[in-house]
Amino acid sequence: MTQLRVPGPTPCPPEVLKAMAWQMVNHRGPEFHQMLTDVTEGLKKVFQTKNDVLLLTGSGTGGLESAVVNTLSPGDKVLSVSIGVFGDRFGSIAKTFGADVTSLKVEWGKAADPDAVKKAIKENPGVKAVFITHNETSTGVTNDLGALSKVVKGAGKLLVVDAISSMSSINLPVDKWGCDVVISGSQKGWMVPPGMAMVSVSEEAWKAQAASKMPRFYWDYTRAKKYLEEKKENPWTPAISIVFALTVALKMMLQEGIDNIFDRHARVAQMTRDGVKKLGLPLFAEESHASNTVTAVSIPEGLDGKKFRQVLREEYKVVLAGGQQTLDGKIFRIGHLGMVNEKDIKEILTAIEKVLPVAGFKK
Ligand SMILES: *Cc1c(COP(=O)(O)O)cnc(C)c1O
């Protein structure tokens, strides 16, 4: 069996794949009403929130765009805290829609410093919303969102979080940390295929939504909430098969228990980091903030990163991710989120050990 270890899409359990093959139902009929209600309840448990949770058809990036167009008006000031590719993307979506974006860019591989964010907010008093990536998939860094949220909420700003590669795998108590809009995506830790984004929307975010003047139609939260509450439906035809898959995956997740899931991710991540270091490879991210869903490994002198991943894929059926943008050729990334356990990590570490010398690495 292939070990698909990229940070999304992630492998799906066989039970989930079976659900993907279920016959279609009427998305305006009673079976779907019940299913959407149950899935929404399950999502709220994983998000640890009493806020509204909306299920939107689209990829994670669509979820990010939905947050922009539902909370802001053209000209609104935004502080975009970016620690990598996905932080940059969130800021550029806001810019595209006419927001006035100030970027706080952190050196890649490092986490955002809460004091630096505090200072940036102070220096930009007109800022309405602060965008933060919880887990930066491009660098393998997890921000200390608990500490960052204290700073942002302490200053009375709207906190909008890209949790696409963390929610469901790394603890993110939405209500406790006062997060206003939190976005995730189905193909990451949720163990289901790509196709849907989930977003939680706080009371304060709804107020911002009512005042927001960005153009929106497909992503309109008001319409999504109205349909969910009044009809138990989505306004548009949803990715019905992904909702099928989510009913099964959420049942599995809640049976395991979210705290156990977070612990499992912490264990496999530690095992990955320890194993990689033992092979003589340097970690890219600062270890104090290393992600529990993706490990970024620096490609050392002598190692042909392209050949390394190719041999792993062709001869060992281990699929790892490369680096993005300026990190292309400089790092490779191991995804360990969703359906993953210690045995999987052991397998891929063994394969990596065998392929390293083949691809030119000398310890
Ligand atoms: C995967 C990912 C995205 C993009 O999601 P798509 O589903 O590819 O649109 C955005 N942010 C983070 C942190 C991600 O990991």
Side-chain angles (χ1 to χ4, degrees):
M1 256 232 314
T2 297
Q3 281 278 13
L4 178 62
R5 296 297 160 202
V6 301
T10 65
C12 303
E15 300 91 319
V16 169
L17 294 179
K18 273 187 205 136
M20 288 298 292
W22 292 350
Q23 185 54 276
M24 283 300 110
V25 295
N26 178 8
H27 65 300
R28 312 245 177 254
E31 302 100 322
F32 193 79
H33 292 160
Q34 188 61 50
M35 212 174 276
L36 186 61
T37 305
D38 293 346
V39 165
T40 303
E41 277 315 301
L43 289 172
K44 285 185 185 183
K45 286 184 185 145
V46 180
F47 274 67
Q48 304 178 64
T49 187
K50 293 194 166 57
N51 290 340
D52 292 297
V53 173
L54 305 171
L55 202 48
L56 311 170
T57 294
S59 83
T61 306
L64 299 181
E65 182 168 317
S66 80
V68 168
V69 299
N70 277 283
T71 56
L72 300 171
S73 300
D76 274 355
K77 286 190 164 46
V78 172
L79 177 66
S80 165
V81 179
S82 176
I83 66 168
V85 171
F86 292 108
D88 285 354
R89 183 183 296 180
F90 208 178
S92 54
I93 295 170
K95 230 175 261 171
T96 302
F97 281 89
D100 179 0
V101 179
T102 301
S103 295
L104 176 65
K105 287 191 192 269
V106 176
E107 186 192 335
W108 288 11
K110 292 195 159 52
D113 172 12
D115 288 334
V117 173
K118 195 173 192 171
K119 189 163 162 265
I121 293 174
K122 213 172 245 166
E123 284 166 0
N124 297 278
V127 158
K128 183 175 171 193
V130 179
F131 287 6
I132 294 179
T133 317
H134 183 208
N135 184 77
E136 179 51 72
T137 318
S138 67
T139 60
V141 171
T142 305
N143 271 320
D144 184 353
L145 189 60
L148 292 165
S149 81
K150 278 203 189 108
V151 168
V152 175
K153 296 315 293 177
K157 310 298 180 188
L158 207 66
L159 174 57
V160 185
V161 180
D162 173 351
I164 292 176
S165 63
S166 57
M167 182 60 81
S168 80
S169 315
I170 298 171
N171 188 33
L172 199 185
V174 168
D175 290 357
K176 190 173 160 200
W177 290 350
C179 304
D180 293 302
V181 181
V182 181
I183 304 105
S184 192
S186 61
Q187 80 277 21
K188 306 280 168 113
W190 301 90
M191 307 189 293
V192 305
M196 293 197 106
M198 3 353 217
V199 295
S200 69
V201 187
S202 75
E203 206 53 56
E204 214 171 301
W206 281 117
K207 281 189 197 134
Q209 206 262 357
S212 143
K213 299 217 160 39
M214 291 269 185
R216 55 178 178 257
F217 189 92
Y218 184 77
W219 297 128
D220 187 5
Y221 288 171
T222 312
R223 212 178 311 218
K225 181 178 160 79
K226 189 173 153 71
Y227 268 73
L228 184 64
E229 285 178 353
E230 292 176 10
K231 307 172 191 250
K232 301 176 183 146
E233 290 175 12
N234 302 109
W236 334 115
T237 313
I240 294 171
S241 302
I242 303 298
V243 181
F244 291 165
L246 271 173
T247 59
V248 176
L250 278 166
K251 202 181 267 178
M252 292 173 72
M253 292 173 67
L254 295 171
Q255 217 151 40
E256 181 178 357
I258 58 169
D259 291 329
N260 293 330
I261 295 176
F262 303 150
D263 288 348
R264 175 166 53 81
H265 281 82
R267 284 198 310 275
V268 296
Q270 191 61 52
M271 190 177 165
T272 306
R273 292 191 290 270
D274 290 346
V276 160
K277 281 195 292 185
K278 213 172 140 207
L279 293 174
L281 297 172
L283 298 174
F284 176 73
E286 58 175 347
E287 251 187 291
S288 57
H289 291 80
S291 164
N292 284 343
T293 58
V294 55
T295 294
V297 183
S298 296
I299 295 175
E301 193 76 33
L303 177 65
D304 180 342
K306 219 171 152 184
K307 184 171 177 193
F308 168 70
R309 287 198 299 123
Q310 186 188 345
V311 177
L312 268 175
R313 186 177 69 242
E314 289 175 356
E315 290 177 27
Y316 294 87
K317 294 191 173 176
V318 171
V319 183
L320 304 182
Q324 295 165 280
Q325 297 181 6
T326 56
L327 292 177
D328 183 20
K330 300 225 162 57
I331 62 166
F332 67 87
R333 293 172 301 149
I334 305 170
H336 34 74
L337 68 171
M339 188 174 74
V340 61
N341 61 26
E342 283 91 340
K343 191 171 152 280
D344 297 312
I345 301 302
K346 209 173 154 194
E347 256 179 59
I348 64 162
L349 286 171
T350 304
I352 290 173
E353 184 172 16
K354 288 192 178 133
V355 176
L356 278 175
V358 179
F361 177 66
K362 287 185 197 71
K363 196 172 172 175

